[in-house]
Amino acid sequence: MWKPQLERVESSVNVPSIAAAHVIKSHVAQGPDELSLEVGDLVCIVAMPPKELSPWWRGKRGFEVGIFPGECVELISRKVPESLINSLPKPVPKKRGKLNTFLRSVVKARPRRAKQPEPEKEGVFGCDLGEHLLRSGRDVPQVLQSCAQFIEEHGVVQGIYRLSGMASRIQRLRHEFDMEQVPELSVRELHSVSSLCKLYFRELPNPLLTEQLYAKFSDAAGAATEEERVFRMKDAIQQLPAPHYRTLEYLMRHLASLAGNCSITNMDAHNLAIVWAPNLLRSQQSQSACTSEGAACLEVQTQSAVVEFLISHTDILFGSRSTSALGEGAGEHLPPLV
């Protein structure tokens, strides 16, 4: 199976490095694609995207290659790292040694300010996908897994994901997930559950398929032959950050499962793509108020074509594995991507 941004272990020695860093914060790997770190370790950095793009960096420690939170390391330049400089004792000039000692004693004797309260924990909706999964220790968002499992059990009904739920119920469920609670879902609010699932992806700061890969996904969907479309789509998927890749696989298997029941739901891959595409794929140009009506219409068609292809070719793109098998161990992690 294709795995995002990972090299095979036996070729890890040849992965080029762009910087060196030392570990300032320990990290325990939550999946096979992550790298465990201990304070004091040295790491060779392979990729370090800007924080606004992804909090995950990629590097190698010895013969291991994997991803880890960028905040766990500090780059080593030609200068000694500031954190190491601050840890060294400062020399005291002989002439001013007694004065400095006296001033230090005065400062230490001053009452300390009350500790500032810690900032409130970020919610779930509107939070960067990688940061949220890192904080929650999950492979895919809880809101996706809860909604998908509930819909597959109770939501094989006509118009699923096309009909909207009640705004008040959607906001109540959203609040509970934001408080990191798992609400009890009711069949009476089925369409509110499906609307909530779409809302989560619509509010991601960087969409699931990422703005950076928009052109690659668009070009893949527009390729001349089926074989070329599959090849290009796999290439684009492979370049997704690991949290986006795992979440995309889970969502596509869920939607493909629903598309298989289109005789009941009247929601085949094409119809599901129409309602899901704007929540998963958007370009930076689409956010501009100057976008013409014709360009906007063309973009909607492109988005739908990409998502429809992903749903229709899920087993080819991700490998043939059932949705139920993917969802086993609901409170823990998905099976490793191999």
Side-chain angles (χ1 to χ4, degrees), residues 74-87:
E74 185 176 63
L75 294 178
I76 299 176
S77 60
R78 294 181 180 179
K79 298 180 180 180
V80 179
E82 185 177 349
S83 62
L84 295 181
I85 295 177
N86 293 336
S87 66

Side-chain angles (χ1 to χ4, degrees), residues 293-312:
E293 183 177 349
C297 182
L298 179 61
E299 182 170 11
V300 170
Q301 294 177 355
T302 300
Q303 293 169 345
S304 297
V306 170
V307 176
E308 181 178 355
F309 190 87
L310 290 172
I311 297 174
S312 302

Side-chain angles (χ1 to χ4, degrees), residues 283-296:
S283 66
Q284 295 177 345
Q285 290 77 10
S286 66
Q287 307 303 311
S288 173
C290 300
T291 304
S292 66
E293 183 177 349

Side-chain angles (χ1 to χ4, degrees), residues 66-324:
I67 61 173
F68 54 86
E71 63 180 13
C72 292
V73 301
E74 185 176 63
L75 294 178
I76 299 176
S77 60
R78 294 181 180 179
K79 298 180 180 180
V80 179
E82 185 177 349
S83 62
L84 295 181
I85 295 177
N86 293 336
S87 66
L88 297 176
K90 305 296 188 297
V92 179
K94 291 183 179 180
K95 293 183 180 180
R96 300 183 181 180
K98 294 182 179 180
L99 176 60
N100 284 350
T101 302
F102 170 75
L103 292 176
R104 287 196 188 98
S105 65
V106 172
V107 171
K108 289 182 178 180
R110 292 173 60 186
R112 295 184 178 182
R113 293 182 179 180
K115 186 177 180 180
Q116 296 295 326
E118 295 183 0
E120 295 183 5
K121 184 177 289 187
E122 293 185 37
V124 172
F125 285 76
C127 180
D128 176 81
L129 179 60
E131 291 181 0
H132 168 56
L133 294 181
L134 176 63
R135 188 177 70 239
S136 64
R138 299 185 59 85
D139 286 320
V140 300
Q142 177 69 66
V143 61
L144 167 61
Q145 188 164 359
S146 295
C147 292
Q149 290 179 346
F150 181 80
I151 289 171
E152 290 185 17
E153 184 176 353
H154 304 285
V156 183
V157 298
Q158 188 168 4
I160 188 65
Y161 281 124
R162 178 174 58 82
L163 300 178
S164 299
M166 292 181 59
S168 59
R169 291 179 177 176
I170 296 171
Q171 290 304 316
R172 177 180 62 80
L173 293 173
R174 170 181 175 159
H175 175 71
E176 292 188 43
F177 276 112
D178 267 333
M179 298 299 292
E180 298 193 355
Q181 301 173 359
V182 182
E184 292 186 10
L185 305 179
S186 169
V187 177
R188 292 180 301 173
E189 51 191 21
L190 175 61
H191 294 297
S192 297
V193 174
S194 63
S195 296
L196 180 80
C197 192
K198 291 189 295 182
L199 177 64
Y200 172 77
F201 288 97
R202 184 161 64 249
E203 293 196 357
L204 286 178
N206 195 16
L208 184 61
L209 298 182
T210 74
E211 293 179 354
Q212 295 73 27
L213 293 174
Y214 181 87
K216 285 188 174 292
F217 280 107
S218 300
D219 292 343
T225 65
E226 178 84 357
E227 182 179 3
E228 187 177 0
R229 283 194 290 272
V230 170
F231 177 81
R232 290 192 180 186
M233 199 67 74
K234 277 188 175 181
D235 180 62
I237 291 173
Q238 184 189 14
Q239 297 180 50
L240 286 170
H244 288 245
Y245 180 96
R246 295 193 298 262
T247 303
L248 176 66
E249 178 183 4
Y250 191 98
L251 177 61
M252 289 302 108
R253 292 189 186 280
H254 165 60
L255 296 180
S257 175
L258 288 181
N261 291 285
C262 62
S263 59
I264 302 173
T265 65
N266 197 30
M267 296 295 289
D268 57 11
H270 177 72
N271 291 335
L272 286 170
I274 290 176
V275 298
W276 266 99
N279 306 305
L280 305 179
L281 188 65
R282 63 178 179 265
S283 66
Q284 295 177 345
Q285 290 77 10
S286 66
Q287 307 303 311
S288 173
C290 300
T291 304
S292 66
E293 183 177 349
C297 182
L298 179 61
E299 182 170 11
V300 170
Q301 294 177 355
T302 300
Q303 293 169 345
S304 297
V306 170
V307 176
E308 181 178 355
F309 190 87
L310 290 172
I311 297 174
S312 302
H313 297 76
T314 295
D315 284 346
I316 298 176
L317 297 172
F318 297 102
S320 56
R321 188 169 63 206
S322 67
T323 309
S324 58

